Structure formats: C-alpha cells, structure tokens
C-alpha cells in the first residue's frame, strides 16, 4: 500500500504535465487575446461540443455545438466563439444568436492542423461566459491539397442551398442547413495542378435572417472547411423569407489580417410556408 502511494504521484506527473502543455496556447495567449480581464467558467451546462477524438479527414472535421438552454427573451446565448488552439490561425468563427434562433445549436466542418483542443466559449445576454472543449487528433487540415477541380469549384462559387426539416411548424424551432459553394482556400495549400501555393480566399461574413430578423450572424475564417455548410435553428412565425448573405475576402498572409480585401457579396432566398 505504501509503495502504491509513492508511485501514484510519479505516474500522474507526466499526465498532468501533458495536460498543461495542451492548454498552454489557451492559457498563455488566446485567453488574453480574446477575453482579457474576464472570468470564464468551464462547464458543459450551457453548451457542449461533439467532435471525433480522431478525425478521419483533418480538412473536414465535423463539429457540433449543442446548447443546453432555450433561447428566450430574458435569457439566451448571445454569441459563441470557436477556436482551434494550435491551428496556425486559431480563430474559427464568432457566431451570434438571438431569441429568434430558437436554439443556439450549430454544426459545421472545420480544419484541424495538429493535435489540439477545439473550444467554444458562449457569451450570455447578461455577459456571463461559459467554455467547453474537446481534444481532437488530426494533422495537416490547413495545408491539405486543394485538389484538381479548383476551376470547377470557382465556376460554382457563391451558389447556396437551404435544406429544412420536414414538417416546419410555425412558432417552433426549425433545423435548417445552409450549403455554400466556396473553396475556402487557406493560403497554405498547394494547387495540385500548378504546384503553386494559392493565396487565401475564404468566406469571412455570413448573415441569415427570417423576414429581415437576424437568426444567425457569423464572422468566419480559414479554419472553416471547403464548401462550408452550417446547421442551425430558426423560429418561423408564419410564412416568410429565409435569406442568407455572405461575403468573401482574400489576404496576403494566411495568419495575418493586416492586408486583406473584400471580393464579392452573395445572397440566397428561400420562401418558408409552415
């Protein structure tokens, strides 16, 4: 028994050291960058993350953020920030919700460049912050080759499509999926045909409304996969117009946003009849 007590700290120390190392990027840099001076409670009571422990494709890692509270006018999730700690550009996206969202659930596919935590930080309408995280084993997601069909991808650039749950009911949260045709080039990928590294070109802003009322507003970056698709909720109060608008931009550096320019704006409208 005495020997076991002596050995236990020796066995635990490497595990604790490894855990601290995996958290170092967040602790020493990202928390200060995004939440300087603010208190964040780490808990799965408000949101949780569902993601594979070992990704099959590092450029298409499915991530689902699940909210644990309803979106009501008095209490709701106002914003969710998503980060991949050890990506070359850790910022994945900032997603804003309203009570008209019904639920602050969100699903998407992201790029993961090396073994890393994916973390989501929810900001409540009263300013309280809650964080959840998931460790994912993946490698090379941000530099994965573009592929040989870039010309075809550019021809369908900007096309969008909505998919909705069957049986849409007025006044109830409805699951919607938005599919966007866009290569979302990171600026770290080699074109397999020309063998040149292509400059970044990615969706940077998305807004979804129902009858002109905001449902989901997002600022996104290169960690979102090619051909982005987002699953989210909205509450259709009667018939109306579900509209998505997005802009894209290109930057001189994949890891700096000091020199960028906007390119185009695209939109898509879907008539909803509950």
């Amino acid at each position: 028994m005495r020997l076991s007590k002596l050995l236990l700290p020796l066995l635990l120390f490497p595990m604790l050291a490894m855990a601290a190392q995996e958290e170092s990027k967040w602790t020493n840099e990202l928390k200060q960058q995004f939440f300087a001076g603010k208190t964040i409670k780490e808990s799965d009571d408000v949101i949780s993350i569902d993601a594979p422990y070992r990704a099959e494709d590092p450029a298409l890692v499915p991530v689902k953020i699940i909210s644990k509270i309803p979106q009501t006018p008095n209490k709701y999730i106002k914003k969710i920030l998503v980060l991949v700690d050890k990506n070359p550009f850790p910022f994945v996206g900032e997603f804003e919700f309203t009570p008209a969202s019904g639920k602050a659930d969100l699903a998407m596919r992201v790029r993961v460049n090396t073994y890393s935590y994916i973390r989501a930080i929810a900001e409540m309408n009263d300013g309280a912050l809650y964080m959840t995280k998931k460790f994912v084993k993946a490698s090379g997601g941000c530099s994965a080759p573009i592929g040989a069909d870039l010309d075809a991808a550019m021809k369908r650039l900007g096309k969008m499509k909505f998919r909705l749950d069957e049986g849409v009911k007025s006044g109830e949260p409805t699951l919607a999926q938005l599919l966007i045709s866009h290569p979302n080039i990171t600026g770290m990928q080699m074109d397999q045909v020309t063998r040149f590294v292509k400059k970044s070109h990615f969706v940077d802003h998305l807004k979804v409304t129902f009858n002109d009322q905001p449902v989901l507003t997002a600022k996104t970056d290169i960690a979102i996969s090619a051909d982005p698709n987002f699953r989210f909720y909205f509450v259709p109060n009667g018939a109306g117009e579900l509209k998505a608008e997005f802009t894209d931009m290109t930057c001189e550096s994949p890891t700096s946003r000091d020199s960028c320019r906007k390119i185009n704006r695209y939109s898509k409208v879907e008539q909803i009849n509950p």
Side-chain angles (χ1 to χ4, degrees):
M1 179 66 74
R2 185 176 298 173
L3 181 61
S4 297
K5 289 182 178 180
L6 290 172
L7 288 175
L8 185 60
L10 296 176
L11 294 172
L12 288 177
F13 182 77
M15 297 171 62
L16 294 172
M18 185 177 297
Q21 183 179 10
E22 297 300 345
E23 289 282 358
S24 62
K25 181 79 172 183
W26 163 254
T27 304
N28 299 328
E29 183 178 333
L30 298 177
K31 187 176 185 297
Q32 177 67 21
Q33 179 181 346
F34 291 100
F35 300 101
K38 295 184 178 180
T39 299
I40 302 174
K41 181 179 180 180
E42 188 168 341
S43 168
D44 289 338
D45 293 340
V46 175
I47 57 171
S48 62
I49 290 182
D50 182 15
Y53 177 65
R54 188 179 297 277
E56 291 184 10
D57 186 337
L60 295 167
V61 180
V63 174
K64 185 177 182 181
I65 298 170
I66 305 159
S67 63
K68 305 296 184 66
I69 62 170
Q71 295 285 96
T72 67
N74 293 327
K75 183 180 181 180
Y76 62 94
I77 295 171
K78 179 181 177 183
K79 188 184 300 182
I80 296 176
L81 175 70
V82 181
L83 303 169
V84 178
D85 286 7
K86 294 187 178 180
N87 269 8
F89 195 78
F91 178 84
V92 175
E94 184 177 82
F95 304 88
E96 296 183 16
F97 303 86
T98 71
S101 304
K103 294 181 180 180
D105 290 29
L106 181 68
M108 56 192 163
R109 299 176 306 185
V110 305
R111 295 174 166 118
V112 178
N113 212 51
T114 190
Y115 291 16
S116 176
Y117 276 113
I118 299 177
R119 65 184 74 233
I121 301 93
E123 179 183 340
M124 304 298 296
N125 61 310
D126 64 1
L129 298 169
Y130 298 88
M131 181 174 71
T132 185
K133 64 189 180 185
K134 187 72 179 286
F135 191 78
V136 174
K137 289 186 174 183
S139 182
C142 294
S143 57
I146 296 173
D149 60 348
L150 181 58
D151 288 342
M154 295 305 290
K155 287 179 181 178
R156 63 176 187 270
L157 180 72
K159 293 184 182 297
M160 286 182 275
K161 182 178 181 180
F162 281 112
R163 289 179 180 167
L164 301 178
D165 256 2
E166 293 183 5
V168 177
K169 295 182 180 179
S170 182
E172 296 186 11
T174 296
L175 180 62
Q177 182 179 16
L178 175 65
L179 299 96
I180 300 173
S181 290
H182 200 292
N184 243 43
I185 300 169
T186 67
M188 291 173 273
Q189 300 159 287
M190 181 179 291
D191 187 317
Q192 288 183 308
V193 176
T194 67
R195 310 306 292 173
F196 290 116
V197 174
K198 302 288 289 187
K199 189 162 62 174
S200 67
H201 178 196
F202 56 92
V203 175
D204 72 304
H205 189 267
L206 169 68
K207 184 177 183 180
V208 181
T209 59
F210 182 70
N211 286 342
D212 297 324
Q213 296 299 310
V215 171
L216 173 67
T217 304
K219 179 183 178 183
T220 58
D221 217 280
I222 60 172
I224 299 294
S225 72
D227 291 329
N229 77 74
F230 301 97
R231 290 180 177 87
F232 58 92
Y233 283 87
F234 76 105
V235 179
N237 292 311
E241 186 178 88
L242 185 63
K243 183 177 183 180
E245 302 173 277
F246 81 84
T247 59
D248 59 359
M249 74 178 184
T250 182
C251 299
E252 295 301 321
S253 164
T255 58
S256 171
R257 298 296 169 261
D258 293 335
S259 182
C260 301
R261 65 181 180 88
K262 293 278 189 178
I263 302 178
N264 287 306
R265 179 182 297 272
Y266 305 89
S267 64
K268 168 71 176 177
V269 173
E270 184 92 0
Q271 296 299 322
I272 306 297
N273 293 291

